[in-house]
Amino acid sequence: DAGITQSPRYKITETGRQVTLMCHQTWSHSYMFWYRQDLGHGLRLIYYSAAADITDKGEVPDGYVVSRSKTENFPLTLESATRSQTSVYFCASSEDRGLGYTFGSGTRLTVV
Amino acid sequence: AQSVSQHNHHVILSEAASLELGCNYSYGGTVNLFWYVQYPGQHLQLLLKYFSGDPLVKGIKGFEAEFIKSKFSFNLRKPSVQWSDTAEYFCAVIFPNDMRFGAGTRLTVKP
């Protein structure tokens, strides 16, 4: 099915471990985004990408790394997970940054 | 600084009541405006959007929003809510260099 898929849906990891959240879209949208959702903060942008091999920091990039070697994939890596990174992570894509975004189903990450 | 404010954190209504959720932004130039809904345990879905033209926009599921440029507002309305409208609602604004979301408003509709 066409769309934007995130994996895994749920993940529990230990402090200090590296973890990668996957995001895949089938529309060939140029733009892809990673947000984290926390109570009281709404959604905050971590990183975004305007095209393959082009990424840029968002509002809260510290502790995260992204890559975009292919247009359809935009993985998010927590290099050394901390408890403050416990959150729900949403990936989104868009044809153009001025248009609305389509969101994936989210990954609920718990760091213990 | 560019920001988006949603004034109501939690709204509780009875079925058939009217709904208005506030959204304000801080920026004097042109913006694109959105309302998203997130049902429990689900991802964000687009309710409606405004780019230009008629400031009263209609979205899915009977929702509408009015852009008032002089007030920097984009309030969401629905004349008669249903239990199934229980969800979290996010206002989002695309500024020239950024898209920002409000903190969200949780709507609980009592049957």
Side-chain angles (χ1 to χ4, degrees):
Chain A
D1 288 337
I4 184 165
T5 56
Q6 292 184 237
S7 61
R9 284 298 306 275
Y10 303 93
K11 176 74 176 178
I12 300 174
T13 192
E14 294 177 338
T15 300
R17 290 203 182 253
Q18 182 181 84
V19 61
T20 296
L21 310 183
M22 304 302 294
C23 179
H24 174 81
Q25 54 110 350
T26 59
W27 292 301
S28 298
H29 283 168
S30 296
Y31 285 87
M32 295 187 75
F33 309 85
W34 274 107
Y35 285 87
R36 59 178 290 173
Q37 183 180 23
D38 303 288
L39 196 63
H41 291 280
L43 280 81
R44 292 180 291 176
L45 182 64
I46 304 170
Y47 270 95
Y48 69 97
S49 168
D53 297 320
I54 301 175
T55 62
D56 208 347
K57 296 179 180 179
E59 186 182 355
V60 289
D62 293 343
Y64 302 95
V65 174
V66 293
S67 62
R68 190 145 178 230
S69 57
K70 293 183 178 182
T71 300
E72 60 266 29
N73 296 323
F74 191 40
L76 176 74
T77 297
L78 288 66
E79 295 183 296
S80 179
T82 65
R83 289 183 180 172
S84 65
Q85 292 176 310
T86 291
S87 186
V88 180
Y89 291 85
F90 286 100
C91 179
S93 72
S94 180
E95 288 181 16
D96 185 285
R97 202 172 178 195
L99 303 178
Y101 301 172
T102 302
F103 286 84
S105 298
T107 294
R108 183 175 293 275
L109 176 69
T110 302
V111 183
V112 298
Chain B
Q2 300 161 350
S3 64
V4 182
S5 301
Q6 291 183 243
H7 312 296
N8 312 104
H9 294 295
H10 191 188
V11 173
I12 303 172
L13 296 172
S14 298
E15 276 193 315
S18 63
L19 169 72
E20 181 160 4
L21 302 182
C23 174
N24 287 87
Y25 64 93
S26 59
Y27 180 68
T30 301
V31 294
N32 292 344
L33 301 154
F34 306 82
W35 275 98
Y36 285 86
V37 60
Q38 185 180 29
Y39 297 105
Q42 296 190 24
H43 62 284
L44 278 76
Q45 301 171 44
L46 182 66
L47 268 181
L48 47 80
K49 59 189 176 185
Y50 174 79
F51 292 165
S52 64
D54 188 343
L56 183 63
V57 292
K58 295 191 183 298
I60 61 172
K61 306 187 182 190
F63 286 91
E64 65 179 30
E66 184 176 14
F67 172 51
I68 302 178
K69 189 173 183 178
S70 61
K71 295 185 177 180
F72 304 98
S73 70
F74 190 55
N75 292 355
L76 181 71
R77 299 196 291 247
K78 186 171 185 178
S80 176
V81 294
Q82 301 173 318
W83 176 79
S84 57
D85 293 324
T86 293
E88 189 143 16
Y89 293 80
F90 293 93
C91 178
V93 180
I94 293 184
F95 302 103
N97 297 314
D98 200 4
M99 179 174 184
R100 295 281 177 126
F101 286 80
T105 297
R106 178 172 296 179
L107 172 65
T108 301
V109 180
K110 295 183 176 181

